[in-house]
Amino acid sequence: MSRTRNELEERVRERTAELTAANDALWRSEEKFRGFLESAPDAIVIVDESGRILLTNSQAEKLFGYAWVEALGRPVEFVVRGRLGAGNPRQRDAFFANPGSRPCGAAPELRGMTRIG
């Protein structure tokens, strides 16, 4: 059974409206997330499973001295270096193997290095 041109055009309009609404909801959600991230008093660096930097907040930019675009895609060791970063890949792997919230103070303390050392 074939659909008429008008039926197909109507379905395309409906689907376009659905996708536009979903896209708008996604942008609102991202803006809300970014607002939470930026309102945090601490520096936050978000990495993927391989340790590549995905996102930072403005506190991290101030603390480390790197703009988000400079850090994007770099290994987290870009700011957690040398002896300060010892063990970090193991800790990251352990977290991604068992993700979830941790009690306050349960995570190991990490120390970073600023742009000027």
Side-chain angles (χ1 to χ4, degrees):
M1 176 180 199
S2 64
R3 295 183 182 188
T4 67
R5 181 181 174 108
N6 288 341
E7 290 173 327
L8 290 174
E9 288 175 349
E10 180 59 28
R11 180 62 188 133
V12 167
R13 279 191 292 275
E14 289 171 1
R15 187 65 179 139
T16 300
E18 291 170 3
L19 292 172
T20 299
N23 190 50
D24 290 346
L26 181 62
W27 276 107
R28 285 190 304 276
S29 177
E30 183 166 337
E31 286 174 353
K32 187 182 291 185
F33 172 76
R34 189 57 146 152
F36 288 137
L37 187 70
E38 288 300 327
S39 68
D42 297 319
I44 298 174
V45 177
I46 299 174
V47 301
D48 63 13
E49 289 184 25
S50 68
R52 298 271 174 200
I53 298 172
L54 299 176
L55 189 62
T56 65
N57 67 353
S58 58
Q59 294 296 341
E61 292 177 5
K62 289 176 192 171
L63 178 67
F64 295 115
Y66 294 100
W68 175 73
V69 295
E70 291 178 273
L72 178 66
R74 293 186 184 232
V76 71
E77 290 78 15
F78 179 63
V79 291
V80 181
R81 299 184 191 153
R83 65 178 180 78
L84 301 175
N88 185 47
R90 288 188 304 278
Q91 294 163 1
R92 182 180 58 245
D93 292 345
F95 175 81
F96 279 107
N98 185 22
S101 62
R102 305 286 197 265
C104 188
E109 184 175 313
L110 295 175
R111 296 179 187 256
M113 186 170 302
T114 68
R115 176 187 285 270
I116 60 172

